[in-house]
C-alpha cells in the first residue's frame, strides 16, 4: 500500500513538474514581496500572462501595465556607435589549436571588441546567418533598458537564421563589460558567441591624457576563455599573448572571465593595483604583491601594472598569460600565490548614495540541492529557498525600492551569482561587514557554506534574470527573476517557442 502511494506521489511530482509548451517567465516562480507592498497589478499580470497562452502570441499589456518591449532607449535618438554582428555556426580552428564545432561573430571568436564613450548611444545590429538554435546578445554588466537585455523568451524572441535584431542603449556606465549569447547559452558561449564591450569615460582635456605622452598608458583587453577541448585562451590566442610596452609604461589590463568557473590571476615582474571590478572603479586601490585576484565566472578585474626598467610583466591565469614589455623581454612563469586579495577589505570606504539600513524589501536567495523533477526530467537539481522549477521565488519589486538580499549557499558547490540590469553592493560576507572600497558586482562567487548580504536600488524596470553564471547550473534550475510590479512580458519560453535562454 505504502509502495503504491509512493509511486503515485513520484508520478504526481513528475507530472506536476512538466511545463506547458509555452509559458511566461512570470509564471516561473512564487511571488515574494520581501516584506514590501504586494500589488493588485501583479495578480492581474499573472492572470494576463496565463491568458496569452500557448504559441507565443503576444497580447498587449492592459492599462496600468508596461510591456517589456516598451522599455527601450529613446527611439528618436541617432546612434553614435554602430556595429553589425553576424553570427555563424562553423568549424573553428584557433591558431595552433584543435578544430571544434563552434560559432563566430563577423568571422572570428571572440567577436569584435565594441568600444564606446560614456553618454554615447550604442546600436548593435545582430544578424543570425545560420545558427540553427537562434541567437541573442546580452550585455553582461550593462544596465540596459529591459527590452535590450537579450534574454530569449523573456525580453525578446531568439533571432532565427536569416533574422536580425537591433540593440540600442546609452552608455551610462564606464568600465569593462562583455556581451554573449543568451539563447542555449551554455553551448553558444563556450563555442564562441561572445566579445568584449568597453565603455570609456568622456575624454579628459588635461595633459595627462595627451596622445603620445611618455611613459604611455596602455589599455589592454584580455578576455579569458576556454573553448571546447579545454583550449584555454586570452583573446582567442593559446598560450602566451605578447603586448608591446616600454619601460615605465603603465598598463590597464582588463581581464574578463568568460568561462563558467572562477579563475585566479596574478602578476610577476610588477606589483599591481586592482582598479576596477565588474565595471566599477574601486576607491583608493593600493599596490598589491604576492596575492592573486579571484575573478568570478562572468566577472571582470582591471589590473594596473607598470613595465619594469628591464624585463617584462607577466599577467598569468592558469593555462594562459600575457607578457607585457619590449619585444623579446622575458618574465618568468610562476605558480599562483597562496594568498588571495580580499575585496571585503581592499581600498577605502566611500559614500554609496543610498541607505541599505532603510531597505524597502529584504529577500533570501538560499541555494540548495535536492532530488526531484525539472520539466519532467529526474535529477539532483539546484533549489532556491527549497523550491525548484516553478517553485522558486520570484522577487517582486517596485521602481525606487532599496532592496537587500541575503544569498546563502548550502548546495555543496560554489555559484557565481549574476543579476541582470542592476549592480549589487556587497554589504557583508558571513556577517562581517565590508570595510574597504564600496564593492559593486554584477557577478559574485558564493562558495558552499558562505552567505553574502548585498543591496541594490531597483531603478531599472523590467523582468530581470537572477541566475548562476556557471551556465550548466542555470540550465539545471539555478535561475529566477527579479520582476517589477506592473511589468509584463509578451515573450514565451518552452519547447514550442524556440526560446531557451539557458
Ligand atoms: Cu552573462 Cu544571464 O548572463
Ligand atoms: Cu552554479
Amino acid at each position: 500500500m505504502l509502495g503504491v502511494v509512493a509511486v503515485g506521489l513520484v508520478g504526481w511530482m513528475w507530472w506536476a513538474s512538466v511545463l506547458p509548451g509555452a509559458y511566461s517567465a512570470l509564471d516561473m516562480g512564487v511571488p515574494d514581496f520581501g516584506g514590501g507592498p504586494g500589488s493588485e497589478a501583479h495578480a492581474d499580470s499573472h492572470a494576463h500572462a496565463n491568458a496569452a497562452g500557448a504559441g507565443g502570441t503576444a497580447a498587449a499589456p492592459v492599462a496600468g501595465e508596461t510591456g517589456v518591449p516598451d522599455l527601450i532607449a529613446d527611439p528618436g535618438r541617432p546612434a553614435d556607435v554602430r556595429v553589425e554582428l553576424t553570427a555563424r555556426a562553423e568549424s573553428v580552428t584557433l591558431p595552433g589549436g584543435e578544430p571544434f564545432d563552434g560559432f563566430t561573430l563577423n568571422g572570428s571568436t571572440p567577436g569584435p571588441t565594441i568600444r564606446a564613450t560614456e553618454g554615447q548611444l550604442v546600436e548593435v545590429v545582430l544578424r543570425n546567418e545560420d545558427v540553427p538554435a537562434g541567437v541573442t546578445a546580452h550585455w553582461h554588466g550593462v544596465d540596459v533598458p529591459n527590452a535590450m537585455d537579450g534574454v530569449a523568451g523573456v525580453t525578446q524572441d531568439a533571432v532565427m537564421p536569416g533574422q536580425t535584431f537591433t540593440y540600442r542603449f546609452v552608455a551610462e556606465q564606464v568600465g569593462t563589460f562583455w556581451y554573449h549569447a543568451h539563447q542555449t547559452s551554455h553551448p553558444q558561449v563556450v563555442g564562441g558567441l561572445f566579445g568584449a564591450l568597453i565603455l570609456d569615460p568622456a575624454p579628459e582635456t588635461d595633459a595627462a591624457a595627451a596622445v603620445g605622452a611618455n611613459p604611455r598608458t596602455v589599455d589592454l583587453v584580455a578576455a579569458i576563455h576556454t573553448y571546447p577541448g579545454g583550449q584555454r585562451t586570452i583573446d582567442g590566442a593559446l598560450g602566451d599573448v605578447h603586448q608591446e610596452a616600454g619601460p615605465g609604461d603603465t598598463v590597464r589590463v582588463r581581464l574578463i572571465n568568460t568561462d563558467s568557473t572562477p579563475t585566479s590571476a596574478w602578476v610577476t615582474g610588477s606589483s599591481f593595483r586592482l582598479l576596477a571590478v565588474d565595471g566599477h572603479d574601486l576607491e583608493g586601490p593600493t599596490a598589491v604583491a604576492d596575492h592573486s585576484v579571484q575573478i568570478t565566472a562572468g566577472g571582470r578585474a582591471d589590473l594596473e601594472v607598470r613595465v619594469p626598467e628591464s624585463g617584462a610583466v607577466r599577467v598569468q591565469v592558469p593555462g594562459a598569460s600575457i607578457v607585457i614589455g619590449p619585444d623579446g623581454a622575458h618574465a618568468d612563469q610562476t605558480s599562483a600565490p597562496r594568498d588571495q586579495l580580499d575585496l571585503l577589505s581592499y581600498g577605502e570606504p566611500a559614500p554609496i548614495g543610498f541607505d541599505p539600513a532603510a531597505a524597502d524589501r529584504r529577500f533570501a536567495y538560499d541555494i540548495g540541492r535536492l532530488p526531484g523533477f525539472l520539466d519532467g526530467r529526474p535529477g539532483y537539481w539546484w533549489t532556491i529557498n527549497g523550491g525548484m522549477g516553478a517553485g522558486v521565488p520570484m522577487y517582486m519589486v517596485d521602481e525606487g525600492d532599496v532592496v537587500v538580499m541575503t544569498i546563502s549557499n548550502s548546495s555543496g558547490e560554489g555559484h557565481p551569482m549574476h543579476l541582470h540590469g542592476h549592480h549589487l553592493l556587497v554589504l557583508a560576507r558571513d556577517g562581517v561587514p565590508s570595510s574597504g572600497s564600496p564593492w559593486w558586482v554584477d557577478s559574485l562567487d558564493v562558495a558552499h557554506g558562505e552567505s553574502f548580504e548585498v543591496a541594490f536600488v531597483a531603478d531599472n524596470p523590467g523582468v530581470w534574470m537572477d541566475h548562476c553564471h556557471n551556465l550548466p547550473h542555470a540550465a539545471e534550475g539555478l535561475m529566477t527573476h527579479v520582476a517589477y510590479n506592473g511589468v509584463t512580458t509578451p515573450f514565451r519560453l518552452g519547447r514550442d517557442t524556440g526560446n531557451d535562454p539557458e
Side-chain angles (χ1 to χ4, degrees), residues 138 140 178 180 182 418 420 465 467 469:
H138 167 62
H140 185 115
W178 64 299
H180 63 78
H182 223 308
H418 173 53
H420 287 211
M465 267 197 163
H467 66 97
H469 219 281

Side-chain angles (χ1 to χ4, degrees), residues 219-400:
D219 194 287
L220 181 60
V221 176
I224 303 155
H225 191 73
T226 308
Y227 286 94
Q231 305 184 73
R232 182 91 161 148
T233 61
I234 295 180
D235 289 333
L238 294 145
D240 280 3
V241 179
H242 185 258
Q243 167 67 40
E244 200 281 321
D249 283 354
T250 298
V251 185
R252 186 182 188 114
V253 185
R254 300 174 182 269
L255 296 168
I256 307 172
N257 182 3
T258 68
D259 283 335
S260 271
T261 50
T263 189
S264 57
W266 64 98
V267 176
T268 320
S270 166
S271 61
F272 69 88
R273 295 195 305 151
L274 180 57
L275 298 182
V277 168
D278 288 5
H280 267 264
D281 285 344
L282 299 180
E283 294 292 330
T286 49
V288 180
D290 300 324
H291 283 70
S292 63
V293 174
Q294 164 114 338
I295 312 170
T296 316
R300 287 84 62 212
D302 294 19
L303 307 187
E304 181 192 71
V305 299
R306 178 154 297 143
V307 181
E309 287 312 312
S310 71
V313 179
R314 182 184 288 268
V315 178
Q316 218 175 313
V317 299
S321 32
I322 315 161
V323 178
I324 306 167
D327 270 335
H330 180 82
D332 283 335
Q333 293 223 15
T334 55
S335 52
R338 194 157 352 108
D339 295 326
Q340 239 174 37
L341 187 65
D342 189 354
L343 295 182
L344 202 64
S345 55
Y346 181 67
E348 296 295 325
I352 54 168
F354 68 100
D355 182 10
D360 299 290
R361 299 179 195 264
R362 291 179 179 271
F363 295 117
Y365 194 126
D366 244 314
I367 305 163
R369 201 172 190 184
L370 285 173
F373 295 97
L374 195 62
D375 195 11
R377 293 170 296 156
Y380 188 41
W381 305 112
W382 309 112
T383 59
I384 306 170
N385 296 356
M388 64 178 75
V392 301
M394 169 86 50
Y395 300 108
M396 303 303 304
V397 300
D398 286 315
E399 190 172 3

Side-chain angles (χ1 to χ4, degrees), residues 382 414-416 468 470 473 478:
W382 309 112
H415 301 286
C468 176
N470 185 323
H473 289 182
L478 194 32

